[in-house]
Amino acid sequence: MKKCNARELQRAIRAQGSKERAKAVGTFFKTGKGQYAEGDIFLGLTVPQVRAAIRPYRQMPLREVDVLLASKYHEERLAALVILVHQAQRGDDEVRGNLCAFYLKRTQQINNWDLVDVSARMIVGRWIRECGNQAILRTLAGSKSLWERRIAMVATHDFILAGDVKPTMMIARMLLADDHDLIHKATGWMLREAGKKDSRALVDFLRTHHARLPRTTLRYAIERFPVDRRARMLKGDYS
C-alpha cells in the first residue's frame, strides 16, 4: 500500500491524460457555455484507468480525499468518489455515517451525472437505508441543485436492491414537475429498476401519474416491457 497522499495520486492520474480524448469527453459531458457541466475540465482518462490508479490509495484519509474532490479536473473528483465508495462498502455504521456527512457537505464538487451515479447509492442511499432518516432524501429532492436532486433519485437504488421500492416512488413523485432531462432520465432509470422488484407497483405509479410524467421518464421506465405493451403504455393504456 502506497502512502495515501492526494498529490501522489494526482501525479499518477495526470501522467495518463490524453488531450484528444479529453476534448471528445468534454463534448459528451456537455461542458460548453450554458450546458449542464459548463466549465468542467477533463484530463482524458477512461474510468478503468481511474479505478486502476486509485487501487493503492483506497485507504486515503478524508483530508486527502478532500484535496481530490476540490480538484478542477473531473477524473480527480471521480477518483475521490471511487475511494469513498470503496471505504463505504467496507466500513461499519460509524464509518458510513461519517462518509455520508462528508459527501453531503461537498455536493458542489459532485457536479456531473457520472459522478453522482458512481457514488450516490453506496454513500448516501446505503446510509439512509440503515439509519432510517429518509428526510435527507426529501431535502435533496427539493434542492435547487440539479446534482442534489439526482443524488436523491439515484440514492434510492439501494432501497430497491434491498426490496423496498417505496422511497423510489416517493422521490419520483417529488420530481414529476422537474424540467431537467438529467432528472427525467434518472427517474425513469430508477422506476425501471423498481419495476424489476415490483412490477405492479411500477404500473400503478405510471397509471396514476401518466398525465404528468415526462416522456423521457416514461420511456426509460417501461423499457423492460414487451414492445406491444410499451406502445399502449405510451398512450396511457396500462391494461
Side-chain angles (χ1 to χ4, degrees), residues 86-107:
H86 174 85
Q87 294 180 9
Q89 288 171 327
R90 289 155 181 79
D92 58 18
D93 289 350
E94 182 179 1
V95 167
R96 282 195 286 273
N98 289 337
L99 291 173
C100 185
F102 176 88
Y103 181 97
L104 291 177
K105 289 179 180 177
R106 292 159 177 81
T107 54

Side-chain angles (χ1 to χ4, degrees), residues 11 20 101 111 233:
R11 284 194 288 271
E20 182 177 341
N111 56 353
M233 289 172 139

